[in-house]
Amino acid sequence: MSEIFENIPKIPYEGSASKNPLAFKYYDADRIVMGKPMKEHLPFAMAWWHNLGANGVDMFGRGTADKSFGAAEGTMEHAKAKVDAGFEFMQKLGLNYFCFHDVDLVPEAEDIKETNRRLDEIADYILEKMEVTGIKCLWGTANMFSNPRFMNGAGSTNSADVYCFAAAQIKKALDITVKLGGRGYVFWGGREGYETLLNTDVKFEQENIARLMKMAVAYGRSIGFTGDFYIEPKPKEPMKHQYDFDAATAIGFLRQYGLDKDFKLNIEANHATLAGHTFQHDLRISAINGMLGSIDANQGDYLLGWDTDEFPFDVYETTMCMYEVLQAGGIAGGFNFDAKTRRPSYTYEDMFEAYILGMDSFALGLLNAAEIIEDGRIGEFVHDRYESFRSGIGARIVNGETTLEELAAYAEKMGKPELPGSGRQEYLEGIVNSILFKK
Ligand code: XLS
Ligand code: NI
Ligand code: NI
């Protein structure tokens, strides 16, 4: 088979002094960090939709990038050309995983039976490539937000017929995910929300979403899916208000409907910041609840209020992300680059340079986070900050041995507590800088 990215070699690691745009500066797959090679800490995945589909189209203009890969778009030849391009791309970058929506793989037909036939055909084709290359599937999902039928959502729609259509898509997407050995299955509820409460029964819609997820879990387990289901929280866009607002909201929902044993979260950086949180915040909330499943690795723009899906560049962010991941003992999922090149970056080289940036930013994040942990000053500070709860009245509170009356009596006797000790934020931020920047 002829090469698609003809002038692009396999991307080597050359170190931080390298000026070669098509080389890794920090991502050294086999370098051992805290006892494990980088590639195991960082199971990177290619997002089929952005990398092989997004052509830079926006609300003001048509695409700038050619993603036809030599075939007419909307055909099965094109679907196969995307597979060829995708596997060549992943191999050249040393990416070991990919993620997909059903409609990223094949053009949707008028009749779902025909769409499903096409999905079977492409899945066989992908499987052959997986066997030859050793590349694996990180997760699959069904696109239940683009087609006009989903204008009012999928699980949250007012139409029982549309709900059944959503079920059919999930069933098939699960079949394909299982066939390709996917580690996870994602629900991103892009249109599971509302525009106005004047026409919406929120309670009913949320219950219906839970019913659909329960059926998905039952079906998935019945066909041998042993991985995690994920909710990918996002507060808004495309809907004004989305039900899976952030990690805390999604965890509450999963627990309320008894879905928390089968589900974890897929945390996307840009979604966390849209919710008014840091990326690190949503990772921490997921991790402490045993819900940190996978990561959509991208970044937003603090000046723009939408999901810009940029490639990770901000090394403070990737450092804090990896600080959370290392402390959580790693993740069962991976790091999916749910990111696209900017509209004026329309060449094949741009596609590679974008992934190199993202992978290098996370490699730097990993190295920095490992050093912060090994340095120990920050961990020790946090530990010491709660010292007053390790003995005396504090220890008795933690052990559940006190009553409110007793604490009130203790306070009265004490008179006035001392100030709780400096938080020393500036000192701690200085430690982070001294680890990040060694001039
Ligand atoms: C959109 C989401 C989407 C999910 C998969 O904002 O990030 O790409 O990751 O449906
Ligand atoms: Ni997103
Ligand atoms: Ni995403």
Side-chain angles (χ1 to χ4, degrees):
M1 188 185 312
S2 63
E3 252 182 299
I4 292 171
F5 306 105
E6 272 180 337
N7 301 318
I8 297 170
K10 177 143 178 50
I11 306 300
Y13 164 74
E14 291 184 357
S16 61
S18 167
K19 295 199 171 149
N20 176 3
L22 293 174
F24 293 116
K25 318 298 181 299
Y26 303 98
Y27 180 66
D28 182 5
D30 295 315
R31 175 168 173 186
I32 304 292
V33 181
M34 290 181 101
K36 256 192 348 191
M38 271 194 176
K39 62 177 182 230
E40 282 177 31
H41 282 287
L42 298 167
F44 288 130
M46 178 191 76
W48 211 272
W49 53 104
H50 283 314
N51 200 48
L52 306 174
N55 63 5
V57 66
D58 71 11
M59 252 131 71
F60 301 95
R62 60 177 184 271
T64 54
D66 180 359
K67 298 265 170 103
S68 63
F69 304 117
E73 299 196 28
T75 62
M76 282 304 280
E77 287 63 47
H78 182 234
K80 288 188 181 158
K82 280 162 72 181
V83 178
D84 297 341
F87 277 83
E88 185 186 324
F89 184 84
M90 290 186 277
Q91 275 189 293
K92 286 187 167 169
L93 276 158
L95 288 163
N96 293 324
Y97 295 89
F98 62 88
C99 299
F100 70 91
H101 299 83
D102 46 1
V103 303
D104 303 331
L105 300 183
V106 293
E108 200 179 356
E110 280 302 313
D111 177 359
I112 190 171
K113 283 186 250 140
E114 170 58 14
T115 307
N116 287 349
R117 191 202 62 72
R118 293 178 186 178
L119 281 168
D120 287 333
E121 185 183 334
I122 210 74
D124 286 336
Y125 192 64
I126 292 174
L127 212 47
E128 278 172 32
K129 300 259 175 185
M130 289 173 70
E131 273 155 19
V132 178
T133 61
I135 289 169
K136 302 184 191 73
C137 173
L138 182 61
W139 52 256
T141 187
N143 178 325
M144 305 193 296
F145 43 88
S146 295
N147 193 291
R149 65 178 164 267
F150 296 122
M151 65 172 73
N152 297 332
S156 64
T157 182
N158 57 306
S159 157
D161 285 355
V162 170
Y163 191 96
C164 294
F165 207 97
Q169 273 187 248
I170 295 169
K171 177 172 179 288
K172 191 66 188 176
L174 271 166
D175 287 340
I176 302 294
T177 302
V178 169
K179 183 166 181 172
L180 300 181
R183 283 190 181 187
Y185 183 86
V186 164
F187 282 87
W188 169 59
R191 294 196 196 267
E192 312 289 34
Y194 62 81
E195 292 296 325
T196 172
L197 287 176
L198 293 175
N199 66 13
T200 304
D201 183 340
V202 172
K203 183 167 186 286
F204 179 75
E205 291 195 359
Q206 293 202 358
E207 287 165 359
N208 255 0
I209 294 171
R211 287 182 191 106
L212 190 57
M213 287 180 173
K214 278 197 175 146
M215 289 187 269
V217 169
Y219 178 73
R221 299 306 180 212
S222 80
I223 59 167
F225 176 63
T226 53
D228 288 318
F229 288 86
Y230 302 125
I231 282 187
E232 183 181 320
K234 185 178 184 184
K236 57 187 169 188
E237 194 209 12
M239 294 303 253
K240 177 169 119 180
H241 188 104
Q242 285 167 205
Y243 295 137
D244 307 327
F245 192 92
D246 60 2
T249 312
I251 291 167
F253 171 87
L254 291 170
R255 289 195 180 142
Q256 181 176 355
Y257 295 105
L259 289 157
D260 50 312
K261 298 286 171 292
D262 293 285
F263 273 79
K264 287 192 166 59
L265 302 182
N266 179 39
I267 297 298
E268 177 165 324
N270 205 161
H271 295 184
T273 51
L274 279 179
H277 302 307
T278 58
F279 182 23
Q280 189 183 7
H281 170 90
D282 258 19
L283 293 167
R284 177 73 62 94
I285 295 297
S286 307
I288 62 173
N289 285 286
M291 287 280 184
L292 181 54
S294 202
I295 285 173
D296 267 12
N298 64 11
Q299 73 173 42
D301 185 313
Y302 286 102
L303 301 181
L304 303 174
W306 62 91
D307 201 10
T308 57
D309 285 342
E310 294 171 35
F311 277 87
F313 161 68
D314 184 331
V315 175
Y316 282 112
E317 292 286 309
T318 58
T319 298
M320 287 336 227
C321 169
M322 294 314 296
Y323 185 60
E324 295 304 316
V325 169
L326 288 177
Q327 289 184 107
I331 50 175
F335 296 78
N336 166 45
F337 287 109
D338 195 353
K340 59 188 179 211
T341 54
R342 298 305 85 192
R343 193 164 186 269
S345 304
Y346 58 86
T347 68
Y348 284 166
E349 281 78 8
D350 288 313
M351 290 166 65
F352 282 85
E353 287 166 15
Y355 269 77
I356 291 169
L357 171 69
M359 293 162 80
D360 272 342
S361 296
F362 267 90
L364 271 171
L366 170 66
L367 292 167
N368 291 334
E371 209 176 323
I372 291 172
I373 290 169
E374 279 161 356
D375 171 89
R377 278 174 291 171
I378 291 181
E380 200 177 310
F381 183 84
V382 175
H383 177 268
D384 291 350
R385 196 155 173 255
Y386 299 93
E387 197 52 43
S388 69
F389 284 93
R390 288 194 193 94
S391 62
I393 190 78
R396 296 189 47 242
I397 293 170
V398 172
N399 292 333
E401 293 164 5
T402 53
T403 63
L404 203 64
E405 296 93 306
E406 187 189 345
L407 300 191
Y410 177 94
E412 273 174 36
K413 215 162 80 202
M414 169 180 48
K416 192 170 158 218
E418 278 176 32
L419 287 177
S422 172
R424 300 189 77 188
Q425 179 172 334
E426 298 76 6
Y427 158 70
L428 299 167
E429 288 171 345
I431 296 177
V432 172
N433 270 355
S434 72
I435 287 172
L436 262 62
F437 306 105
K438 297 188 186 77
K439 289 280 167 208

